[in-house]
């Protein structure tokens, strides 16, 4: 969601700059590219985080996914999402 918002805001900025000074449209294209890169990084991060989640062992009543790990994954997702 963060990459989509960043892309839309940068797209509006490019349109405004294109109306004022058409020569600077290419220079204002950098934020759109960076928002796309942030979105791809978010997808990669989500695949890594999902791969590190383990199922609880119901036989020994042991939870392998601790509260600390859950908050660490939440913080990683928020850092990636809010940086865009």
């Amino acid at each position: 969601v963060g990459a989509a918002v960043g892309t839309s805001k940068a797209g509006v900025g490019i349109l405004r700059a294109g109306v004022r000074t058409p020569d600077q449209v290419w220079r204002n294209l950098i934020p759109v590219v960076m928002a796309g890169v942030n979105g791809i990084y978010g997808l990669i991060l989500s695949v890594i985080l999902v791969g590190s989640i383990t199922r609880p062992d119901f036989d020994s009543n042991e939870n392998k996914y601790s509260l600390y790990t859950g908050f660490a994954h939440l913080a990683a997702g928020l850092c990636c999402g809010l940086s865009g």
Side-chain angles (χ1 to χ4, degrees), residues 43-55 65 73:
L43 288 174
I44 293 170
L45 181 68
S46 67
V47 169
I48 291 171
L49 292 180
V50 165
S52 68
I53 296 174
T54 58
R55 294 182 55 152
Y65 191 73
H73 289 167

Side-chain angles (χ1 to χ4, degrees), residues 2-4 33-44 80:
V33 174
M34 294 304 289
V37 168
N38 190 22
I40 292 170
Y41 179 69
L43 288 174
I44 293 170
C80 180

Side-chain angles (χ1 to χ4, degrees), residues 16-28:
R16 287 182 182 170
V19 169
R20 292 181 190 161
T21 55
D23 302 338
Q24 294 184 356
V25 172
W26 290 106
R27 192 178 92 182
N28 294 333

Side-chain angles (χ1 to χ4, degrees), residues 4 8-9 14-15 19 29 42 45 47 56 63 66 68 71 77 80 82:
S8 67
K9 286 186 178 183
I14 287 174
L15 291 175
V19 169
L29 197 61
L45 181 68
V47 169
N63 191 1
S66 66
Y68 176 79
F71 279 117
C80 180
L82 295 176

